[in-house]
Amino acid sequence: FMMNALRFSIVAGIVLTLTAASAATVQAGNVTVKKVHVCCGACVAAIDKSLKGVTGVTDAKADRKSKTVSFTAENDKAAEAGIKALAKAGFHGAAAHDSKKLNFPASGAKKGDKSNSITLNGVHLCCGGCKSTAKRAFRGLKGVLDVKCDSKAKTVALTGTSIDVVAAVAALNKAGFHG
């Protein structure tokens, strides 16, 4: 009997330890995304719609004045899913789940790649404000001669001479768009 009680005690201690350890890594928290392009009610609606069906994401809010998106994530997986949903909707920013930095999906652009024509897809362009901000993002970018935005196709097309692809994506991201 004593041996069985000891085994039960050890097993119970291990289970409690494992439960406490996994609870520490799966915590609800606030996600804040700063420097997002949010210029109008349609931008706010698109952000709300993009986060609406994401499992584990609640209390989504987009603030036009502060250019910030916030939501509650039940765990790290939900936080990452929320960021992916924002990216898929064409939004980008500096994201954190409480104090942990979150990365938006990578563009796939390779350092050193240059092109005379670049089309960035999936960019949120709901209105004239979005289009003008996207166009301004490429001002001064070496090699860019023209920028065309297509709201229906959700594309920004750059033409010019030997445009740095990574720099183009970075300029778009800095303006609060993902593409």
Side-chain angles (χ1 to χ4, degrees):
F1 173 76
M2 193 75 136
M3 197 60 141
N4 285 339
L6 181 60
R7 271 191 223 138
F8 175 77
S9 174
I10 290 171
V11 169
I14 291 171
V15 168
L16 285 174
T17 303
L18 290 174
T19 303
S22 67
T25 60
V26 181
Q27 293 181 348
N30 297 317
V31 176
T32 305
V33 188
K34 298 178 180 178
K35 301 178 185 175
V36 179
H37 177 81
V38 186
C39 70
C40 68
C43 291
V44 171
I47 289 167
D48 289 346
K49 182 180 177 184
S50 73
L51 293 171
K52 192 163 245 157
V54 179
T55 302
V57 170
T58 57
D59 304 321
K61 293 176 189 68
D63 187 318
R64 288 168 49 186
K65 192 172 188 175
S66 67
K67 306 286 187 203
T68 301
V69 174
S70 61
F71 58 89
T72 302
E74 72 179 22
N75 54 36
D76 288 346
K77 185 177 177 181
E80 290 169 11
I83 296 303
K84 284 181 183 173
L86 287 170
K88 186 176 179 183
F91 297 97
H92 195 94
H97 181 201
D98 292 323
S99 61
K100 180 183 175 185
K101 182 182 176 194
L102 295 174
N103 294 315
F104 273 75
S107 70
K110 291 178 178 57
K111 188 176 180 175
D113 282 355
K114 297 194 186 280
S115 181
N116 295 335
S117 176
I118 300 170
T119 301
L120 301 160
N121 299 298
V123 182
H124 175 82
L125 301 166
C126 68
C127 66
C130 290
K131 288 180 183 181
S132 66
T133 300
K135 284 182 178 185
R136 272 196 314 273
F138 303 103
R139 252 192 224 150
L141 188 62
K142 186 178 176 181
V144 175
L145 300 175
D146 190 35
V147 179
K148 287 191 175 34
C149 296
D150 184 333
S151 296
K152 269 191 173 177
K154 296 184 170 191
T155 59
V156 177
L158 311 175
T159 53
T161 307
S162 201
I163 304 166
D164 183 321
V165 178
V166 171
V169 171
L172 183 73
N173 294 163
K174 186 176 178 184
F177 298 100
H178 194 84

